[in-house]
Amino acid sequence: MSQFASPMTILMVEDNALQRRQIEAQLQALGHRIMAASNGQEALDRMKESLPDLVIMDAVMPSMDGFKACEMMKGNPATAGVPILVLTALSRDAKDRSYAAGADDFLRKPANTMLLQVRVQTHLRIRALTLRAGTPAPARPKVLVVSASSLVRSQVQNHYGKDQATFLEAQGESQARAQIMAHRPDLMVLDTELLEGSAQTLAVAVHQSDELKDMPILLLYTPGELETWSRLQEPVADALEKPLVAPETRRRVSLLARMAHLQKLVQA
C-alpha cells in the first residue's frame, strides 16, 4: 500500500489500561497518533474536540458500551464518516451486534498483530483517500483470484457475487503474473496455496513494482500461516482465514474494491 503523507489519528476506546497499552504496542510501528478514551461516552466527548481518522472500539465498557457508542457515532453526520473497528474479547454474537450498530470492521482479542496492523492501515488509507476524493458511486471491480483450489476460486466469486465484478482466475504464480500483465486487475485475492510458485514471492513482486504497488491484495490463509507473513505485511492490504464464509468474504473484497476505486480517482 502507498505510504501516508503524514501520520493519521486513531482513537482507542478501551477501559482496561493493560489491554490499551498492549494494543498501542501493536500499533506503534505504524507511526500514527493514538488518543485514548476509557468508555463510549468519553469517546463521544473526545470526538467533539478533535475528529480522529479511525476508532478502535472495545465492546464491554462502563458508562456506555461500544455498541451504543458505535450507534451514536454512526448516527451523527459529523462523525458518521469515521471508520470504526470493534476489537473485543466478547464472543457470543459480538460480530453481528457490532455490524448491526454500524461498525465498519470487527476483530476478536487478542488480535494477531499483522492482521490488526493491515486492517488499521487499510481503513486509514480509505479514510485519507475519501477525504480527498469524496464518496463516489460504487464501481464494478476487476478481481483476480489466485488459488490452486477450484473450490476457493468459486467461493470468492459466488460470495462476492459473480454479477458484481469481472473475475479473472489463476492457479499459480506464473499464470497470475500473466493475468496481471494482460488485464491489470483492480485487486488480487491471493491464496497461500498455489499450484506452482510462491504466494509470498508474487505479493512482494507486486508491491515492489511501481506500476502495480497500489493494487490491494487480500490474502487467504489457514490458521497458523500468518506468522510466516509477518515480515512481509506491507504487500498485503487485508487477510481472511479459510474456510471462507460468505458475508466476511464479501465484506473484505468490497473494502479493497472501494480502496482501489478511490486510488484511481485520486491518481486520475
Side-chain angles (χ1 to χ4, degrees):
M1 288 187 299
S2 300
Q3 297 296 314
F4 294 88
S6 60
M8 302 190 78
T9 302
I10 301 169
L11 173 59
M12 188 189 313
V13 191
E14 169 63 68
D15 64 310
N16 185 301
L18 176 60
Q19 292 190 13
R20 189 164 60 240
R21 288 194 294 271
Q22 290 174 337
I23 298 167
E24 287 176 348
Q26 288 179 291
L27 299 178
Q28 185 176 14
L30 302 182
H32 300 297
R33 294 182 294 267
I34 299 178
M35 305 189 303
S38 58
N39 58 61
Q41 184 57 59
E42 185 179 341
L44 291 170
D45 294 340
R46 293 294 302 270
M47 292 180 77
K48 291 177 183 176
E49 301 169 2
S50 178
L51 201 63
D53 298 297
L54 172 69
V55 175
I56 298 178
M57 180 86 73
D58 189 15
V60 181
M61 295 177 291
S63 180
M64 181 187 293
D65 68 23
F67 303 122
K68 181 62 177 178
C70 187
E71 287 180 358
M72 295 188 70
M73 289 175 186
K74 291 300 182 178
N76 182 350
T79 56
V82 178
I84 300 173
L85 188 162
V86 173
L87 179 62
T88 180
L90 194 65
S91 57
R92 184 173 174 270
D93 72 5
K95 179 183 286 190
D96 291 341
R97 290 180 65 188
S98 298
Y99 287 131
D104 299 275
D105 215 330
F106 177 90
L107 285 173
R108 283 199 171 88
K109 296 177 184 174
N112 173 278
T113 297
M114 175 188 164
L115 188 57
L116 176 61
Q117 289 181 352
V118 298
R119 291 275 177 93
V120 164
Q121 289 288 79
T122 291
H123 282 292
L124 287 175
R125 180 63 180 156
I126 290 174
R127 172 69 172 168
L129 291 166
T130 301
L131 290 173
R132 294 177 62 185
T135 306
R140 181 185 176 90
K142 189 184 299 182
V143 183
L144 172 60
V145 186
V146 188
S147 174
S149 168
S150 60
L151 174 61
V152 168
R153 297 196 305 272
S154 177
Q155 283 180 324
V156 171
Q157 296 176 54
N158 290 330
H159 291 178
Y160 186 74
K162 285 189 174 182
D163 59 339
Q164 300 300 309
T166 299
F167 286 100
L168 307 165
E169 293 189 16
Q171 298 180 52
E173 182 184 344
S174 60
Q175 191 177 11
R177 288 174 181 265
Q179 290 280 45
I180 291 170
M181 291 299 101
H183 301 287
R184 296 303 171 102
D186 298 306
L187 65 109
M188 178 166 60
V189 180
L190 177 61
D191 193 351
T192 56
E193 180 187 354
L194 302 185
L195 195 61
E196 57 82 19
S198 162
Q200 288 192 355
T201 300
L202 179 58
V204 170
V206 168
H207 175 67
Q208 292 179 344
S209 166
D210 288 337
E211 294 183 1
L212 303 173
K213 63 183 179 181
D214 287 331
M215 181 177 70
I217 297 175
L218 170 61
L219 180 71
L220 306 182
Y221 66 95
T222 54
E225 284 188 312
L226 276 188
E227 294 307 318
T228 65
W229 283 77
S230 59
R231 64 187 177 84
L232 302 173
Q233 71 174 58
E234 192 65 26
V236 177
D238 203 349
L240 180 60
E241 185 176 305
K242 297 179 291 185
L244 302 180
V245 179
E248 199 63 20
T249 305
R250 180 171 179 81
R251 186 173 288 114
R252 306 263 66 90
V253 175
S254 296
L255 184 72
L256 298 193
R258 181 184 171 196
M259 184 166 74
H261 183 42
L262 284 165
Q263 285 177 161
K264 281 187 174 182
L265 292 176
V266 169
Q267 293 166 1

